[in-house]
Each structure stands twice: as structure tokens, then as C-alpha cells.
Amino acid sequence: MPETLFDDPRAAVLAAFVFGLLVGSFLNVVILRLPRRLEWRWKRDSRELLEIGEPYEPAPPGIVIEASHCPHCGTKLAAWQNIPLLSFVVLRGKCRHCAAPISWQYPAVELLTGLMFAACIWRFGIGWEGGLALVFSGYLVALSGIDLRTQYLPDELTYPLLWLGLLASLLTMFVDPVSAILGAAVGYLSLWSVYWLFKLATGKEGMGYGDFKLLAALGAWCGAKAILTILLLSSLVGALVGSAWLIYKGRDRATPIPFGPYLAIAGWLQFMSGADWLDTYLRWALHG
């Protein structure tokens, strides 16, 4: 890495932003293609298990090898059409070949990832902590995007995020091993308990198992003491944003809303602050 990035924090933050734009472009591919790949694999495995002979169904595009293409006309995109943010502006939000509108998801994910990466390097600097913070942020962006589109949090992302958090705790980069293990356990069991209490009371499922695993992963990165803060903050953000979305879409309260993005927002804010917000609030409440 160039020496100037170590000497000039502003250069490091700018480099992290540009790198985040590039990673965000890749995360868009993950968000769009991973659920399709998983669904295809589940169908294939189910047919094999049940010994059902169905017509051959080709696999969806891979995440790394296959080139990007327009989802409407199927035309492969040239290299200059894959430049983060810039290509969207140059193409004016439309496919060059069929003039179909390009989803705002692409520039939004790229910009969000760039800003998060810049914040991580500004907060932790260049090193192992900063690098792991980038990985943590990238996983949260991918999981949030997939949950928003499919209401599914794949194990292929939540489990690696959990294990990376536990491994990072061995070096006590963010939390110590005991806090990480307890955080993972408390995170999972807290939403697992809410799930079963709600199901026993109403006979309905209030959330998916992916939410348990995501909160467990956040607990591994942020520690057990952060779980209550993450739950309170994600519930607050979810209530405000979710209510506004239902009103905007004209939906009723029975409409399912993905909870993963709100957990991710709260978890990332807690991770970046490193503060014990609950203790701060209690001291303020008790002592005015």
C-alpha cells in the first residue's frame, strides 16, 4: 500500500471511499445473484432427493465469473458501463441498448458502501482493525440488500460473519472472546425467544431464523452488552421507517417487513461508536 496512505489520513479515507465504490459494485452482483443461485440449488437438491425427473434447468449466472449484463435485454455490459456511479450518470439511468431504466439500487449500494468504507478507515485507520471493519460493513450491506429484495438472510453470509467476529475476538480487536461468545449466544437466544413467544401467542411466525443468526453475528462483533442497544435502536428505526413505507405503499400492518436491514443499521452504528449507550443513558436518567 502506498506510504502516503499511512501518512495522510485524508488520502486513506478517500482511497477507502473509492475502494468501497468498487466493492459496492460487486455487492450488487451478490445481492442480485446469490438468492437465485441458492434457489436453483435447493430445487436441484430437492429433485434429486425426491427422484423427480424434471426438464433440465440451467444454473443462473455465477457471482464471480459471468460478466454483467442488462436484466432486460441480456446484452453484456462493456467495461466502461460498469464504472461505479459514473456509468449510471453517463447512461442517464438507462440501458444503452434497450433504454430500459437502470435500478437505483446500483448507485445506492455503491455510494453507501463507499461512505461506510470511508467511515471505517476514518474511525479505525489502516490496519487489521480497519480491514476487518470493511469486511464487517460489506457483509451488512449484502445481507441488507438481499433481505430487502427477498426477505431472506442466507446462512452463506450470516455464518461467515459470525465466525469472523468470533475469530477477531481472539486478538481482542473489538471485544474480548468472552464478550464475543456471550454476545453471539445472547443475540441468537433473545430473538429466538421472541419468535417462540409470538408464535405461541398468535400461532404466526413474527420473524425468520435469519434474524436470529444476524443478531448472533452482531453480538460476536460488538459484545453481549451491545445486544439490548442494538435491539432497541433497530426496533425504533424499524418502527419509523417501516410505518412510513407502509403509508407510502398504501399497505396494512399485516404486510411483512424485513427486519434484517434495521438490525444491520443498529449493529453498524454500535460497532462504529464502540460506546456503551445503555450505561450512558442509565447514568443520564439517574443523575439527570
Side-chain angles (χ1 to χ4, degrees):
M1 188 171 292
E3 189 68 17
T4 56
L5 295 184
F6 293 94
D7 297 335
D8 187 352
R10 292 173 297 181
V13 170
L14 178 60
F17 175 74
V18 175
F19 179 59
L21 295 180
L22 298 173
V23 173
S25 181
F26 171 73
L27 293 180
N28 269 316
V29 177
V30 175
I31 291 169
L32 293 170
R33 296 186 183 182
L34 181 59
R36 294 174 58 196
R37 296 280 302 182
L38 293 175
E39 183 179 1
W40 174 83
R41 191 180 70 189
W42 296 332
K43 291 180 178 178
R44 181 201 62 187
D45 294 344
S46 298
R47 288 196 296 265
E48 292 179 358
L49 180 64
L50 299 174
E51 298 181 352
I52 298 176
E54 292 189 4
Y56 171 73
E57 181 181 351
I63 296 175
V64 178
I65 299 177
E66 281 84 351
S68 298
H69 59 275
C70 173
H72 301 282
C73 65
T75 303
K76 291 185 178 181
L77 303 182
W80 70 270
Q81 295 174 306
N82 274 319
I83 302 175
L85 291 184
L86 183 60
S87 293
F88 184 85
V89 174
V90 172
L91 293 171
R92 299 181 179 180
K94 295 181 180 181
C95 173
R96 181 169 176 265
H97 300 276
C98 66
I102 301 173
S103 173
W104 278 90
Q105 172 192 311
Y106 296 98
V109 169
E110 292 164 357
L111 180 60
L112 176 62
T113 308
L115 293 174
M116 291 173 70
F117 275 30
C120 287
I121 296 303
W122 173 80
R123 169 72 172 81
F124 296 105
I126 298 177
W128 281 105
E129 287 187 346
L132 285 173
L134 300 185
V135 173
F136 177 74
S137 301
Y139 267 97
L140 292 185
V141 171
L143 284 164
S144 298
I146 291 174
D147 200 20
L148 283 171
R149 291 180 60 89
T150 66
Q151 297 185 17
Y152 176 66
L153 294 169
D155 293 346
E156 286 75 4
L157 295 181
T158 53
Y159 283 155
L161 183 62
L162 168 63
W163 286 111
L164 284 172
L166 293 175
L167 289 174
S169 73
L170 295 178
L171 300 176
T172 317
M173 288 191 177
F174 308 108
V175 295
D176 60 83
V178 174
S179 297
I181 294 171
L182 287 176
V186 172
Y188 186 92
L189 292 174
S190 58
L191 287 186
W192 178 86
S193 301
V194 172
Y195 168 88
W196 281 107
L197 288 173
F198 184 83
K199 187 171 184 178
L200 290 173
T202 65
K204 301 178 181 178
E205 296 184 354
M207 63 180 64
Y209 278 67
D211 296 318
F212 315 164
K213 299 166 188 175
L214 176 55
L215 187 55
L218 295 175
W221 285 83
C222 301
K225 294 180 67 175
I227 294 299
L228 182 56
T229 301
I230 293 173
L231 283 174
L232 292 175
L233 183 58
S234 60
S235 298
L236 176 61
V237 174
L240 295 175
V241 177
S243 298
W245 183 83
L246 290 177
I247 294 174
Y248 174 75
K249 292 291 185 178
R251 309 284 181 84
D252 57 33
R253 294 183 178 180
T255 303
I257 298 177
F259 191 48
Y262 307 125
L263 285 174
I265 292 171
W268 190 80
L269 292 175
Q270 171 63 42
F271 174 79
M272 291 294 293
S273 69
D276 193 335
W277 294 353
L278 183 60
D279 283 352
T280 302
Y281 172 76
L282 290 176
R283 286 197 299 270
W284 176 82
L286 293 174
H287 303 291

